[in-house]
Amino acid sequence: MKRLLFFLFPFILVVGQDAAQQPVASSAYPAPTNQLDSINVQLDKIGRSVDKLQSNWKDFFRSFSTNQGLQMTERQQKLLMAFEVLNRAEQRLGNLQKIRMDATEKQSSLRLQLARVNDDLIPESIDKYVAARGSLDAEQLRDIRRQALIKQRSEITNILNQVEQDLFSTNEEIRSTEQFLRSIRGRIFPELLKELADL
């Protein structure tokens, strides 16, 4: 049992450290269309990693039991496996939270840009713009300015809509991951207490 606890201790530390980490603010934001692709790639990698991990665990337990004399029950092996899955899910949650923070910052920036463009589209603002340039053909300059602002508003609105869709999807992924973590923690820690009961 002491050998099992010695082996479990690093996993407990890693899980605790990952859970305590807070996402770091960043002003960078990948292209909106890459957000969901990035999440799907991460999910595929996690799935493949878990499959490979299970195979590696079996090889490790077989080798360790033979060479070191450590005999672990199937239940104990599953518990160690569950700790690794928990750790990976914590990492995934941290990545999703960072994506959400970046998207939220981008959303705020785009909303400010959109508000400025709407202010510039007010007739009085266009008149001030034309007056500051002293053009002889003021009406043509007004039309050019108005069309440029309308185009800019449309572009910003399209990007903002995409960012908000990505943000919604990311929030859904976060909720799903948090629910998974609550479930797996609720199953792992009582089992760990049972293992410690014999100490």
Side-chain angles (χ1 to χ4, degrees), residues 109-121 156:
S109 175
L110 289 168
R111 285 178 175 174
L112 287 174
Q113 292 179 41
L114 189 59
R116 283 195 294 268
V117 171
N118 285 330
D119 287 341
D120 290 341
L121 270 168
I156 294 173

Side-chain angles (χ1 to χ4, degrees), residues 27-49:
S27 59
Y29 182 77
T33 55
N34 291 333
Q35 290 294 328
L36 292 178
D37 292 342
S38 175
I39 293 172
N40 289 332
V41 168
Q42 290 179 15
L43 291 177
D44 290 340
K45 286 181 178 179
I46 290 173
R48 289 194 298 270
S49 295

Side-chain angles (χ1 to χ4, degrees), residues 124-180:
E124 291 80 4
S125 298
I126 294 178
D127 289 340
K128 288 180 182 179
Y129 174 86
V130 172
R133 279 148 184 78
S135 174
L136 295 176
D137 194 348
E139 191 58 37
Q140 182 181 8
L141 187 56
R142 283 192 191 91
D143 288 341
I144 292 172
R145 174 66 171 169
R146 187 179 301 107
Q147 292 303 318
L149 289 171
I150 289 173
K151 181 180 178 182
Q152 187 178 1
R153 180 176 63 182
S154 176
E155 292 172 350
I156 294 173
T157 300
N158 289 338
I159 297 173
L160 179 60
N161 288 339
Q162 183 63 57
V163 170
E164 289 178 341
Q165 289 177 18
D166 291 343
L167 187 56
F168 176 82
S169 297
T170 300
N171 283 329
E172 289 296 309
E173 288 290 334
I174 287 174
R175 279 192 286 271
S176 175
T177 304
E178 288 175 338
Q179 183 177 3
F180 170 76

